[in-house]
Amino acid sequence: MASVIRLYVNHPLGAGQSVPLSREQSHYLFGVMRKGVGEVLELFNGHDGEWLGRVVQAGKRNGILLCERQSKPMQLPPDLWLIFAPIKKARTDFIVEKATEMGAAQILPVQSDFTNSERIRQDRLQNHAVEAAEQCGGTYVPVVHELQKLSKLLDGWDVQRQIMFCDETRLGSGEALPSLAGPWAVLIGPEGGFSPAERRRLNEMPEAHGVSLGPRILRADTAAVAALTLWQSALGDWQ
Amino acid sequence: MASVIRLYVNHPLGAGQSVPLSREQSHYLFGVMRKGVGEVLELFNGHDGEWLGRVVQAGKRNGILLCERQSKPMQLPPDLWLIFAPIKKARTDFIVEKATEMGAAQILPVQSDFTNSERIRQDRLQNHAVEAAEQCGGTYVPVVHELQKLSKLLDGWDVQRQIMFCDETRLGSGEALPSLAGPWAVLIGPEGGFSPAERRRLNEMPEAHGVSLGPRILRADTAAVAALTLWQSALGDWQ
């Protein structure tokens, strides 16, 4: 299974456009992967779709590609946010990777009352989203936000955006997902569940809909994939 | 969030039943976790439901519990198999963990034409399933099988068992899942996809149904959770 290398580049893409590679990308392509002049790669930048680019300069610090033709149109994901409480580092990385594959447009880590995590490395998580987008064949990279308090996020909530919230401590008593078009957010509770105050607040928001993820308690990373699957297959781009 | 320790024990459970702990469990409970006589734990063995057991002997090598009362009835998962091609070790571990949380009854690792993996550690994977069952609150532990060839598994296939197969190289062209009760299997292709011969064979089996998992290519572990979510919410115990 020979496979073409896919690269995210922070540069405009278009026919005849010359695209300089970063030092890291040049090192990876020409040092590690031993690619050379003439090699064709798939490029995307998050807004111009996917383009085939040919290597015209293979310097291990300063490679240059030439855009030839568009190989995939730009495909934006649905206007879907994933809101989650960060957990252990490896599982937080997984959630960002999986949210990218599953087609979330924005990823918002939050501190809830029962979240242990005090900080995240936003730049590292954003890089994970770039790598997952390179891998999954998408043309879009979701934005990873800085950590914020859930209560503050809900204070400024736009009532036009529906919330599907998954409370792992509330088993088998969910609503059906209402088939409302427009912007949505999927909210995954922390492993300890939402606090009573948070649960009360969500239950009082008419735009928030509690959904059950079955009779077993899912880990937060499993819950993120499961909830995004339910949403994408009912309302998103899997239909 | 104080939480009760949950343990899988390979021993009958029932009112008044005395349950000896293994050396590893005794060490963990009384050495690492510093629990003592009188402590109450949740116990399950995969067929008697969940029971509360009280520590009556706290030896670091030979603890004993006494079963008091049933705290959860036995809940068998649907008759659902997860068949997948093992990938890198960490992701294979994740697939077993996630399949347990998602309620698969049996987990069958297979070698397909494009699988790289030559071997698995069945005992390690079975232990992962036990740990995931302890964590997710289920009363059942799925059986993890030894690695076998996909072609051989299909040679002996029981036509009564429907197959939902997810081919990551075939984007956006799935069937709807037919709502047939009875035994099912979810089959996840390897990262390189099925070979043309495998795809032909599956397409010729009337009991095999190809399903799409959206417009992006999912990693095998993401695909496993997504496919099990679709099945559980349509035909399984999430309904």
Side-chain angles (χ1 to χ4, degrees), chain A residues 101, chain B residues 85 87 95 168 188-191 218-225:
Chain A
E101 292 174 39
Chain B
I87 36 177
I95 289 179
E168 284 308 296
I188 302 294
E191 308 242 317
L218 306 184
R219 282 182 186 272
D221 52 342
T222 318
V225 177

Side-chain angles (χ1 to χ4, degrees), chain A residues 1 75 91 94 97-98 100-103 114 135-136 192 213-219 221-222 225-226 229-230 232-233 237-238, chain B residues 1 75 91 94 97-98 100-103 114 135-136 192 213-219 221-222 225-226 229-230 232-233 237-238:
Chain A
M1 301 301 287
Q75 192 185 23
R91 290 194 189 258
F94 259 71
E97 172 189 301
K98 265 107 197 67
T100 305
E101 292 174 39
M102 296 295 301
F114 294 158
Q135 149 94 24
C136 77
L213 299 177
R216 287 157 298 270
I217 299 170
L218 306 185
R219 282 183 186 272
D221 53 341
T222 317
V225 177
T229 301
L230 290 181
Q232 284 286 26
S233 62
D237 65 12
W238 287 26
Chain B
M1 300 299 290
Q75 192 185 25
R91 290 193 189 261
F94 259 69
E97 172 189 300
K98 266 107 195 67
T100 305
E101 293 174 39
M102 297 294 302
F114 294 159
Q135 149 92 24
C136 78
L213 299 177
R216 288 158 297 271
I217 299 170
L218 306 184
R219 282 182 186 272
D221 52 342
T222 318
V225 177
T229 301
L230 290 181
Q232 284 285 27
S233 62
D237 65 12
W238 288 26

Side-chain angles (χ1 to χ4, degrees), chain B residues 7 52-53 96 113 126 149 219:
Chain B
L7 279 188
L52 298 183
V96 169
D113 292 345
Q126 186 65 65
K149 282 201 191 305
R219 282 182 186 272

Side-chain angles (χ1 to χ4, degrees), chain A residues 81-97:
Chain A
W81 295 359
L82 175 69
I83 308 173
F84 75 102
I87 34 176
K88 277 176 270 174
K89 186 169 150 294
R91 290 194 189 258
T92 299
D93 292 351
F94 259 71
I95 288 179
V96 169
E97 172 189 301

